[in-house]
Amino acid sequence: NAGVTQTPKFQVLKTGQSMTLQCAQDMNHEYMSWYRQDPGMGLRLIHYSVGAGITDQGEVPNGYNVSRSTTEDFPLRLLSAAPSQTSVYFCASSPKGQGFVRAFGNGTRLTVT
Amino acid sequence: GQQVMQIPQYQHVQEGEDFTTYCNSSTTLSNIQWYKQRPGGHPVFLIQLVKSGEVKKQKRLTFQFGEAKKNSSLHITATQTTDVGTYFCAGPPYYGGATNKLIFGTGTLLAVQP
């Protein structure tokens, strides 16, 4: 099992550009989520999904879109990048009903200039 | 909105000393979870406590969940250099929402000097 795979590991964008952060898991976990981590603020939930075709907003959803067409994939789209979106992004997954994060990806470090 | 604060933000100890981090939520939590993140790494799940007043141990680590389910603590006895990292608490709010809608604490960075 590869676990949770995130790509890319690093990305630099200019303000206004769009991009997609990829996340895939091979553990057949129903729950997937995206967090951003900023210094001194812990991890904040952006969007989450409880299964294919179902997504919902977390704490800080503005400026981000998600979709979940398959159990395995949960991409995060930045529609128009802003410097405030400079952060480290983590994708996570869990089996249904477990209630905690079983696996995190290795993270994507995004810089918006 | 709901906030989960941790104190201290940073703690530097000599190897062999004890360490405690405290987690305080502005609202009642369904459960409390603890994660460890090594420098440059991703968070790793350590434990989950569900019951009011619950205490669990993992070797040198002792976890407590407060009676009101709004606070928690993690105590490490006789720290080792392998304990270095940031410790986060997290929990879903106790309002019947999705249990995976976690709110993370601000984290405590532990540095251990050999």
Side-chain angles (χ1 to χ4, degrees):
Chain A
N1 281 357
V4 179
T5 303
Q6 284 185 242
T7 56
K9 289 187 180 180
F10 301 94
Q11 183 72 49
V12 179
L13 291 178
K14 293 187 188 300
T15 297
Q17 287 184 317
S18 62
M19 79 157 296
T20 300
L21 278 62
Q22 301 292 344
C23 176
Q25 54 95 4
D26 60 358
M27 298 168 285
N28 205 32
H29 287 171
E30 288 89 349
Y31 289 175
M32 295 187 75
S33 48
W34 277 100
Y35 293 87
R36 60 176 289 174
Q37 184 172 30
D38 302 296
M41 299 188 73
L43 287 88
R44 291 183 291 168
L45 182 63
I46 304 172
H47 286 284
Y48 67 100
S49 168
V50 298
I54 306 169
T55 63
D56 204 351
Q57 296 181 349
E59 255 185 292
V60 289
N62 293 340
Y64 308 94
N65 270 359
V66 292
S67 60
R68 185 98 179 269
S69 55
T70 66
T71 299
E72 295 77 20
D73 300 300
F74 191 44
L76 178 72
R77 297 182 190 83
L78 280 69
L79 309 172
S80 177
S84 60
Q85 293 179 304
T86 294
S87 189
V88 179
Y89 291 84
F90 288 100
C91 181
S93 74
S94 308
K96 183 179 179 181
Q98 190 150 70
F100 59 85
V101 176
R102 173 70 74 83
F104 280 93
N106 287 329
T108 295
R109 186 173 293 275
L110 175 68
T111 302
V112 183
T113 60
Chain B
Q2 179 181 0
Q3 290 187 324
V4 180
M5 304 299 293
Q6 284 182 250
I7 54 171
Q9 276 191 308
Y10 172 77
Q11 182 89 54
H12 179 259
V13 300
Q14 293 286 124
E15 190 171 22
E17 292 181 337
D18 291 357
F19 160 77
T20 303
T21 173
Y22 299 91
C23 171
N24 295 289
S25 172
S26 58
T27 59
T28 305
L29 299 170
S30 295
N31 61 71
I32 194 78
Q33 304 161 22
W34 285 91
Y35 296 80
K36 176 184 177 181
Q37 184 177 25
R38 292 184 186 275
H42 57 79
V44 174
F45 172 76
L46 294 177
I47 204 163
Q48 178 175 272
L49 293 85
V50 179
K51 298 178 184 176
S52 168
E54 190 170 9
V55 177
K56 285 189 176 180
K57 291 191 175 185
Q58 285 182 348
K59 297 183 181 178
R60 296 178 294 104
L61 278 62
T62 301
F63 304 85
Q64 287 189 303
F65 197 13
E67 294 290 340
K69 302 185 83 172
K70 295 178 72 173
N71 55 67
S72 180
S73 65
L74 159 58
H75 179 81
I76 302 178
T77 304
T79 54
Q80 300 175 357
T81 54
T82 53
D83 295 325
V84 164
T86 301
Y87 293 85
F88 292 99
C89 62
Y94 194 73
Y95 56 60
T99 56
N100 284 77
K101 199 168 183 177
L102 297 178
I103 305 296
F104 275 78
T106 47
T108 296
L109 174 60
L110 172 64
V112 180
Q113 184 164 356

